[in-house]
């Protein structure tokens, strides 16, 4: 695959420790426009931490993150000091790569509509009318427009996650981060959320998805990264990773994960 | 009994009600000021650097560890010696406000800390600045969560106001004392006072409950045609 354009996101040697425990030991990752990359691997290997470092919910401690040509953190210069970009730049970057959480995290004191309007007005400084128009559009795309005036606690898990996706979409993102978006859902609700993500993929949205749903990965991913021991241990196309010639450790993981 | 209903009530009830009105004024003003001050105390204690934090912590500690009546006496009788002269009414307000603020700062602090971490993270991950995260997400949710406790504090405040009669504010209890010194009829007077306090608390509790319901997000939507949209959703 030859890409004429530089990647949307480029990560080099990302490192992070928690209380002396090295969780990320040098993660390399890049993501191109329109690419759907899935991050798989055993629990506790740092998949969430990777996503959370990308939008600086956690402070990375080493390595480099470049997003749309802008350096968010890097080590370098003559003294090789690790530096993180100033808050304003990080905030702008976050707005362009919003995150969808396992537990939805909808603003519980706001309606569905207000949840989707909030970031647009507060962060992007859009006018209320414009923001509401766009929110309606995004809610329609995830099939939640009818519930615009509901509060989160009046929705099912699947509906909450669809609203969370609409909230991310409303930011006109360049990339959406998904951290196990269906793991907290009842089995029969998983499909509706996966369906929405599938629709986004058809529209060419760039996405980085952490998930344990292997069938979903196989059907949607352009690239699959297998995370183990604080690194990306294997990367490849969905065909490589799920095919008969998959690397042995991935085959082992699949057997454990899927039976 | 005859004496109570046909003499004491018509004669003294209006005067006692006048006092009750002052009690209500004291309560409302102190509640408003105490809530504001308590809120800023809570935010200050949570966010300020250590050097700024310890005086606030110390203030809360001292207020909570001394009786309200002593604080009122200090404010009314001792502050003038330091050149600060307050009328009895405003000395009462000052004492009640400071006292309430100290307690409420603990309430608000607990509520702020208890806001779900995911809410903060969702706000941050949309690109909000720390101030926006606080103002748009943390504070509104903490305020909603403290509402029931706040109501309880208001009822308590209403009754604590009787203490300011000691610094000669003409509120309900002091009016009662005046009536008694006129009539020597302490029994009937205190019964009337108890009835008035009960009514004030009872009505306040109802009103507070109503405000709570009204402010709870999921109740506010009540007027929208819920059944209709539910049916549509259910049908598919
Ligand atoms: N805030 C934290 N403090 C301490 N340890 C953490 C924290 N977050 C994650 N970890 C640890 O980092 C490791 C990776 O966690 P995580 O990124 O959540 O893994 P995954 O998402 O792949 O299951 C785990 O061992 C976890 O215990
Ligand atoms: Mg995880």
């Amino acid at each position: 695959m030859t890409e004429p354009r530089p990647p949307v996101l480029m990560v080099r040697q990302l490192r992070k420790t928690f209380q002396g425990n090295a969780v990320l030991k040098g993660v390399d990752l890049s993501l191109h426009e329109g690419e759907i990359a899935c991050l798989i691997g055993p629990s506790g290997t740092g998949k969430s931490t990777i996503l959370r470092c990308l939008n600086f919910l956690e402070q990375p401690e080493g390595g480099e993150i470049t997003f749309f040509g802008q350096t968010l953190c890097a080590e370098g210069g003559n003294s090789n000091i690790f530096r993180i970009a100033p808050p304003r730049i990080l905030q702008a970057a976050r707005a362009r790569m919003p995150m969808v959480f396992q537990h939805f995290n909808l603003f519980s004191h706001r309606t569905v509509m207000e949840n989707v309007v909030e970031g647009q007005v507060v962060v992007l400084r859009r006018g209320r009318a414009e923001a509401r128009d766009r929110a309606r559009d995004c809610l329609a795309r995830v099939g939640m427009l009818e519930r615009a005036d509901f509060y989160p606690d009046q929705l099912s898990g699947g509906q909450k996650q669809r609203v969370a996706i609409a909230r991310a979409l409303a930011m006109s993102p360049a990339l959406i981060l998904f951290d196990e978006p269906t793991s907290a859902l009842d089995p029969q609700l998983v499909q509706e959320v996966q369906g929405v993500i599938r629709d986004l993929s058809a529209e060419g949205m760039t996405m980085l998805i952490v998930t344990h749903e292997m069938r979903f990965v196989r059907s949607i991913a352009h690239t699959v990264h297998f995370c183990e021991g604080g690194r990306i241990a294997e990367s490849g196309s969905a065909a490589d990773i799920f095919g008969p010639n998959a690397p042995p450790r991935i085959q082992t993981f699949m057997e454990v994960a899927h039976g | 009994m005859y004496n109570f209903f046909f003499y004491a009530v018509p004669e003294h009830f209006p005067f006692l009600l006048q006092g009750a009105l002052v009690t209500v004024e004291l309560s409302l003003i102190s509640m408003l000021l105490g809530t504001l001050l308590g809120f800023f105390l809570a935010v200050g204690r949570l966010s300020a650097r250590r050097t700024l934090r310890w005086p606030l912590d110390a203030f809360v500690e001292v207020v909570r560890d001394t009786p309200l009546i002593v604080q009122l006496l200090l404010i009314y009788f001792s502050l003038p010696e330091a050149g600060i002269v307050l009328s009895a009414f405003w000395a009462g307000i000052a004492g009640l406000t400071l006292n309430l603020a100290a307690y409420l700062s603990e309430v608000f602090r607990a509520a702020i800390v208890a806001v779900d971490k995911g809410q903060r993270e969702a706000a941050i991950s949309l690109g909000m600045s720390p101030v926006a995260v606080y103002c748009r997400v943390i504070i509104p949710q903490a305020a909603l969560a403290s509402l029931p406790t706040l109501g309880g504090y208001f009822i308590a405040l209403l009754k604590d106001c009787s203490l300011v009669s000691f610094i000669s504010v003409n509120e309900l209890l002091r009016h009662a004392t005046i009536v008694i010194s006129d009539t020597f009829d302490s029994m009937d007077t205190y019964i009337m006072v108890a009835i008035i306090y009960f009514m004030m608390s009872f009505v306040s509790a109802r009103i507070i409950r109503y405000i709570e319901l009204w402010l709870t997000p999921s109740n506010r939507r009540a007027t929208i045609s819920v059944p209709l949209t539910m049916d549509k959703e259910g049908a598919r």
Side-chain angles (χ1 to χ4, degrees), chain A residues 14 18 26 30 35 38 43 46-47 58 74 77-78 100 177 213 227 243-244:
Chain A
L14 188 68
F18 283 117
S30 68
E35 181 177 348
C38 287
S43 281
K47 303 181 299 294
E58 303 286 355
N78 27 26
V100 173
L177 307 171
E213 304 277 341
C227 187

Side-chain angles (χ1 to χ4, degrees), chain A residues 52 55 57 91 94-95 98 101 105-110 118 122-123 146-147 149-151 154 159 167 171, chain B residues 118-119 121-130 132 136-137 140-141 217-218 220-221 224 229 233 236:
Chain A
R52 294 167 60 84
N55 69 2
L57 278 179
Q91 284 157 21
R94 286 183 187 124
F101 297 86
N105 297 355
L106 292 181
F107 301 129
S108 57
H109 61 307
R110 300 200 182 278
E118 186 72 7
V122 175
V123 178
E146 287 175 9
R147 303 273 162 142
D149 295 314
F150 281 57
Y151 281 86
Q154 298 166 315
Q159 293 174 330
R167 177 172 69 176
M171 303 303 283
Chain B
Q119 299 283 314
E121 291 186 349
I124 293 174
S125 74
L126 287 175
M128 286 191 202
S129 68
R136 305 290 307 182
V137 178
Q141 292 197 15
S218 37
R220 245 181 305 166
R221 197 192 37 81
I224 296 164
T229 46
E233 188 75 9
R236 45 175 187 168

